[in-house]
């Protein structure tokens, strides 16, 4: 669904503590909904972080299909995902997801997604997505006709990559995370959603981070292939936990967990504006588009020229 929903104004250079941009009241907001499945939840029936990451992938490609851009922009790489679990989503329930652009540049953009459930659950997310050329695996310019829906919700058109997690990993032995065949995507890389599985296990060992509200940030630095040995190195302090994904001594990804900013906790999402142009898009009606790779060949310092 698209709804005419003020534009997002946000300084994209910041830290892991920055609040996420609020949902705009004007511009293109894409919406979809589907039921929470048993394969998405923990034994306590709460929605898992890797399931949230898959929801973001699926919604992104629904959005591409709705905009007629799935063929011209089929491959997107996620460089960072921020998840603010404000109120828990518990199975059985149905989620409604709202997606809009909060900043962009010529080759990448940040996409905000708000996930609400019928029972009152709320999860806010933000993702840094890079358009990838499927022929050479490198960042590619977004076509001139594609940005129209994106620019309708933000005035930030000079987005550049800035890492939010800057803490170096410990020089200690970690725990191996064995890769399975089902973890690898069509580009022979570890899928971005899979990183959340061991990362969430690390977080759940922290005494104060097991329940909402929670902020989780995962930054992808280098792709991980099926033949690599992944070692998880961890660090805990009084208010946070961090996990480093290390292969042959080199960090490939970092996950950081903490409590979210105070102005995020309990903040309600605005009601979706009514409009005659609304067109409900159901997940069951979709034709699955080309899947995104969690990583591709990417320069170490991605920055706008």
């Amino acid at each position: 669904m698209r709804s005419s929903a003020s534009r997002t104004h946000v300084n994209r250079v910041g830290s892991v503590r920055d609040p996420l941009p609020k949902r705009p009241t004007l511009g293109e907001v894409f919406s979809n909904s589907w039921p929470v499945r048993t394969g998405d939840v923990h034994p306590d029936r709460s929605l898992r972080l890797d399931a949230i990451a898959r929801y973001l992938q699926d919604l992104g490609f629904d959005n591409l299909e709705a905009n007629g851009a799935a063929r011209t922009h089929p491959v997107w790489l996620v460089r960072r995902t921020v998840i603010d679990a404000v109120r828990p989503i518990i199975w059985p329930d149905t989620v409604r997801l709202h997606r809009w652009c909060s900043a962009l540049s010529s080759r990448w953009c940040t996409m905000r997604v708000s996930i609400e459930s019928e029972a009152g659950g709320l999860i806010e997310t933000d993702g840094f997505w890079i358009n990838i050329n499927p022929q050479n695996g490198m960042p590619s310019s977004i076509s001139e006709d594609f940005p129209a829906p994106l620019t309708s919700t933000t005035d930030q058109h000079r987005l550049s990559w800035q890492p939010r997690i800057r803490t170096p990993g410990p020089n200690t032995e970690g725990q191996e995370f064995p890769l399975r065949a089902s973890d690898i995507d069509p580009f022979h890389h570890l899928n971005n959603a899979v990183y959340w599985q061991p990362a969430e296990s690390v977080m759940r060992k922290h005494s104060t981070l097991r329940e909402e509200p929670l902020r989780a940030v995962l930054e992808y630095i280098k792709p991980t292939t099926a033949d690599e040995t992944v070692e998880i190195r961890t660090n805990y302090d009084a208010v946070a936990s961090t996990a480093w994904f290390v292969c042959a001594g080199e960090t490939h990804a970092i996950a950081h967990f903490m409590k979210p900013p105070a102005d995020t906790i309990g903040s309600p999402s605005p009601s979706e504006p009514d409009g005659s142009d609304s067109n409900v898009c159901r997940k069951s009606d979709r034709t699955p588009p080309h899947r995104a790779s969690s990583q591709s060949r990417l320069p170490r310092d991605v920055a706008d020229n």
Side-chain angles (χ1 to χ4, degrees):
M1 173 195 292
R2 294 177 191 169
S3 60
S4 294
S6 72
R7 292 189 173 188
T8 297
H9 302 267
V10 58
N11 178 3
R12 304 307 298 169
V13 179
S15 75
V16 294
R17 297 176 178 84
D18 289 345
L20 300 184
K22 301 298 183 182
R23 192 190 307 180
T25 57
L26 296 174
E28 295 271 351
V29 175
F30 178 80
S31 298
N32 201 350
S33 65
W34 54 74
V36 177
R37 307 293 187 183
T38 54
D40 300 335
V41 301
H42 292 288
D44 64 2
R45 302 188 301 171
S46 62
L47 189 63
R48 301 196 313 265
L49 293 178
D50 65 294
I52 296 171
R54 287 189 288 103
Y55 285 8
L56 300 181
Q57 286 182 337
D58 291 345
L59 186 69
F61 284 109
D62 287 352
N63 199 173
L64 286 175
E65 287 282 356
N67 288 338
R71 291 186 178 181
T72 57
H73 300 77
V75 182
W76 290 79
L77 175 153
V78 61
R79 191 74 196 271
R80 174 174 52 236
T81 301
V82 180
I83 298 175
D84 281 354
V86 181
R87 297 187 295 271
I89 294 176
I90 307 295
W91 174 84
D93 205 347
T94 296
V95 293
R96 186 155 189 81
L97 305 92
H98 310 278
R99 188 176 194 258
W100 69 94
C101 179
S102 55
L104 75 155
S105 192
S106 60
R107 291 174 288 176
W108 39 76
C109 58
T110 49
M111 301 299 296
R112 278 277 285 111
V113 175
S114 180
I115 306 174
E116 306 162 323
S117 79
E118 291 183 352
L122 176 63
I123 295 170
E124 301 286 0
T125 78
D126 190 50
F128 191 108
W129 291 91
I130 302 173
N131 183 43
I132 297 295
N133 184 320
Q135 277 69 49
N136 61 22
M138 298 299 291
S140 179
S141 295
I142 299 172
S143 64
E144 293 183 0
D145 58 339
F146 181 74
L150 305 181
T151 58
S152 70
T153 53
T154 181
D155 290 328
Q156 300 295 319
H157 299 168
R158 295 293 295 174
L159 175 67
S160 62
W161 168 256
Q162 298 286 340
R164 299 286 178 86
I165 309 173
R166 302 178 178 90
T167 306
N171 292 320
T172 57
E173 184 176 351
Q175 182 175 356
E176 182 178 352
F177 175 63
L179 301 185
R180 305 157 296 185
S182 58
D183 296 335
I184 307 303
D185 66 19
F187 300 91
H188 308 288
H189 299 150
L190 183 62
N191 186 274
N192 80 82
V194 176
Y195 287 84
W196 287 103
Q197 296 174 5
E200 186 168 12
S201 295
V202 169
M203 177 274 294
R204 286 187 164 235
K205 295 178 182 178
H206 196 291
S207 59
T208 64
L209 296 177
R210 296 172 185 168
E211 297 180 354
E212 289 79 359
L214 170 74
R215 166 163 289 189
V217 183
L218 209 162
E219 293 188 339
Y220 306 91
I221 301 169
K222 183 179 179 180
T224 300
T225 56
D227 59 348
E228 292 186 283
T229 299
V230 180
E231 178 187 354
I232 310 295
R233 301 180 183 179
T234 59
N235 181 69
Y236 299 90
D237 61 30
V239 296
S241 67
T242 308
W244 291 263
F245 293 75
V246 180
C247 299
E250 188 172 11
T251 299
H252 284 211
I254 311 174
H256 184 76
F257 299 89
M258 55 180 283
K259 291 298 181 181
D263 61 351
T264 298
I265 300 174
S267 59
S269 297
S271 300
E272 183 179 340
D274 294 326
S276 59
D277 60 338
S278 295
N279 180 23
V280 176
C281 173
R282 301 291 183 186
K283 188 175 184 182
S284 58
D285 298 333
R286 301 179 303 173
T287 299
H290 194 76
R291 284 282 176 181
S293 169
S294 59
Q295 293 291 308
S296 185
R297 285 180 290 170
L298 184 69
R300 287 189 175 277
D301 297 319
V302 178
D304 194 22
N305 294 325

